[in-house]
Amino acid sequence: MLRFLPNFCTKSKLNIRTLQCRKFSDKALDKNVKEIPEVQGKNTNVLTGKVHSPRMWHRIVLVWSGVYKSKEDIPNNVPYEAIDKAKNIVRIKISNYMILATIVACIIFAIRGRRAAERGETISKMNLDWHKKIKEDAEKENQSR
């Protein structure tokens, strides 16, 4: 734990925003969390010893990230680390796709801008035309009065 915390905070969870310590029970807050039984004297999940029964979204993420081959291969209880690893892989894949889409969009708009410049369509010319049109409309309105 952090050294600056008082002794009463050693077994509680620190709320950084308000610098308060709250006691949490050791019971699982989620109904889907279960303890893994020990196999041959060793816990199968070394870090936490807990598993999660994945929902449909978790199953899609586990398959798309490549942790499991198909939805049928996913067991009823999956370690938290497997789900966390799958979410991280999916996060990285999505960010890579977004980077690729941004680069493609930049290239497309650069090409379109060059073609518009070749035709003589510039932003300053469009702005001057717009102001000219507004002036003419205002003059017509003043003459009709």
Side-chain angles (χ1 to χ4, degrees), residues 2 4-5 13-22:
L2 301 173
F4 66 86
L5 295 177
K13 191 158 192 162
L14 176 67
N15 186 347
I16 299 294
R17 288 185 186 156
T18 59
L19 291 176
Q20 295 175 347
C21 296
R22 297 182 295 174

Side-chain angles (χ1 to χ4, degrees), residues 11-58:
K11 290 188 177 181
S12 58
K13 191 158 192 162
L14 176 67
N15 186 347
I16 299 294
R17 288 185 186 156
T18 59
L19 291 176
Q20 295 175 347
C21 296
R22 297 182 295 174
K23 276 283 198 188
F24 286 99
S25 66
D26 294 334
K27 296 178 184 176
L29 297 176
D30 191 2
K31 294 179 182 177
N32 295 329
V33 177
K34 299 172 188 150
E35 288 287 330
I36 298 178
E38 293 200 12
V39 178
Q40 298 175 357
K42 289 186 176 181
N43 199 336
T44 56
N45 192 348
V46 178
L47 295 178
T48 61
K50 295 185 179 178
V51 293
H52 180 74
S53 57
R55 298 199 174 113
M56 188 52 109
W57 171 248
H58 292 138

Side-chain angles (χ1 to χ4, degrees), residues 48-103:
T48 61
K50 295 185 179 178
V51 293
H52 180 74
S53 57
R55 298 199 174 113
M56 188 52 109
W57 171 248
H58 292 138
R59 291 181 186 274
I60 292 169
V61 168
L62 286 166
V63 172
W64 194 52
S65 65
V67 176
Y68 292 98
K69 296 288 180 190
S70 67
K71 288 183 184 177
E72 292 79 28
D73 294 341
I74 301 173
N76 289 336
N77 295 322
V78 178
Y80 270 131
E81 287 80 20
I83 294 174
D84 194 36
K85 178 183 174 184
K87 284 181 182 178
N88 289 335
I89 290 171
V90 168
R91 231 178 260 129
I92 291 169
K93 281 184 178 184
I94 289 173
S95 65
N96 288 339
Y97 290 139
M98 289 175 64
I99 290 169
L100 182 66
T102 303
I103 291 170

Side-chain angles (χ1 to χ4, degrees), residues 29 40 86 114 122 135:
L29 297 176
Q40 298 175 357
R114 286 183 185 163
T122 62
K135 244 184 205 179

